[in-house]
Amino acid sequence: MPPLARWLARRLALTLFVLWGTATLAFAGMRLVPGDPAHVIAGGVQANATPEVLETIRAQYGLHDPLPVQYAIFIGRLVRADLGESYQLNQPVSTVVLEQLGATVALAAGAAVLGFTLALVLALLTAGRPRAGALTRVLEFCAISTPNFWIGILLLGAFSFSLNWFPVLGEDGPRALVLPWITLALPIAGVLAQITREGLERALGQPFTLTARSRGATENRIRLRHALRHAALPVLTLSGWALGELLAGVVAVETVFARQGLGQVVVSAVNGRDFPVVTGVVVLAALTFSVINTGLDLLYRVVDPRVRQAAL
């Protein structure tokens, strides 16, 4: 088997292990929450379902089975890509997730592009320039240390309520995505800009940049063609963390801006003890994160051949 195929097989096995562990923890965590799922399925405690109705629901959903049996059935369904049926919505979890997935992907993808672009521009403009770098570092520190929801509230107050430049809450369209994108992008842009700037400054002090200057290369060419490639390695290392932060921040941002998406679905499912929906979204998030990390590792090997040779 070729080295790359062996590496991909190992990563696939690791991904399956992560998915199993995530699903197991989600199953255990939701089962430890106090309360009876039968009441949720019946419409809540306020529905005043009769004991006979509750017993029928428990029998239908296997809630009388011992936990090991419930767990085995749960894992068996996951293996068949069956996430179960939502207790609250009476729909397959896959349908619930797919209906809201597009809105969340648009939010997270746009914020990722904006965050990485902003970090790159800031690093290129301020690397090796102490005055500009000092001011930018202060702004980056403020962005990193401020929670997403607070950034969102500040942006809403300034640009929606005061200036009326963007829609306030719950609207669709490109304009309604601008403030949520900025809210998610600023913290990761602050971290990545600092890492990229440090990498550029180290690269600009290396002998190969002096050689490039002696051959008449312009400063912009040196930064973009020579130094940036060396600075990209630590950025790629942190990209998995940055994308994970985006996924985690989506819940808060969708709540602040009253946007539909998986974040709102998770909040509603947790409050309503909708076990299948919570588990399905958690497993999907783990799968997404594993795929992203595998892609970044492959990209890392493209950028740095030394890593490729050592790993394969």
Side-chain angles (χ1 to χ4, degrees):
M1 181 182 292
L4 180 59
R6 286 200 303 270
W7 181 83
L8 288 174
R10 291 196 300 268
R11 291 307 297 256
L12 177 60
L14 179 61
T15 298
L16 293 176
F17 177 78
V18 169
L19 291 178
W20 169 77
T22 302
T24 301
L25 290 176
F27 176 88
M30 296 306 294
R31 291 307 186 278
L32 291 174
V33 175
D36 186 355
H39 285 289
V40 177
I41 302 171
V45 178
Q46 66 276 9
N48 295 322
T50 64
E52 291 77 12
V53 170
L54 295 177
E55 284 299 316
T56 301
I57 291 173
R58 294 188 186 102
Q60 178 182 350
Y61 286 88
L63 299 177
H64 278 315
D65 295 334
L67 280 180
V69 175
Q70 294 186 39
Y71 175 73
I73 294 173
F74 166 72
I75 293 296
R77 287 176 174 172
L78 281 184
V79 171
R80 301 191 303 271
D82 180 5
L83 299 175
E85 185 172 301
S86 169
Y87 292 165
Q88 293 178 313
L89 303 175
N90 293 322
Q91 291 180 333
V93 173
S94 56
T95 301
V96 176
V97 170
L98 289 176
E99 286 178 350
Q100 303 298 331
L101 184 60
T104 297
V105 169
L107 177 59
V113 172
L114 179 60
F116 280 83
T117 302
L118 183 59
L120 178 61
V121 171
L122 287 175
L124 288 172
L125 291 178
T126 59
R129 297 172 178 132
R131 290 187 179 180
L135 175 61
T136 306
R137 283 185 177 90
V138 173
L139 298 176
E140 291 163 356
F141 177 78
C142 292
I144 295 168
S145 58
T146 305
N148 285 116
F149 70 88
W150 186 240
I151 294 176
I153 292 172
L154 291 176
L155 291 176
L156 275 173
F159 296 104
S160 293
F161 294 111
S162 298
L163 298 175
N164 199 28
W165 288 359
F166 299 100
V168 179
L169 296 172
E171 296 190 23
D172 295 323
R175 290 180 67 245
L177 280 168
V178 173
L179 294 184
W181 280 342
I182 296 173
T183 301
L184 281 172
L186 285 180
I188 66 168
V191 175
L192 295 177
Q194 291 183 351
I195 300 301
T196 306
R197 184 186 304 108
E198 292 176 2
L200 282 171
E201 289 175 347
R202 285 196 300 269
L204 290 173
Q206 295 298 317
F208 68 83
T209 60
L210 179 61
T211 302
R213 288 191 182 96
S214 67
R215 292 177 177 175
T218 64
E219 187 66 22
N220 288 336
R221 181 179 176 84
I222 291 172
R223 288 171 181 258
L224 293 172
R225 185 176 179 83
H226 301 285
L228 186 58
R229 177 165 183 156
H230 291 265
L233 297 179
V235 176
L236 286 177
T237 303
L238 279 179
S239 293
W241 163 86
L243 295 173
E245 284 292 301
L246 282 178
L247 294 177
V250 161
V251 176
V253 170
E254 287 181 350
T255 302
V256 168
F257 290 93
R259 291 189 55 81
Q260 294 298 315
L262 290 180
Q264 292 281 49
V265 169
V266 170
V267 172
S268 176
V270 170
N271 291 334
R273 292 174 51 80
D274 197 340
F275 299 155
V277 172
V278 174
T279 305
V281 174
V282 168
V283 171
L284 176 62
L287 175 62
T288 302
F289 195 68
S290 297
V291 171
I292 288 173
N293 274 316
T294 300
L296 289 173
D297 283 348
L298 285 172
L299 185 59
Y300 207 106
R301 284 154 178 75
V302 171
V303 174
D304 190 348
R306 297 170 301 176
V307 177
R308 181 172 64 246
Q309 294 299 328
L312 299 181

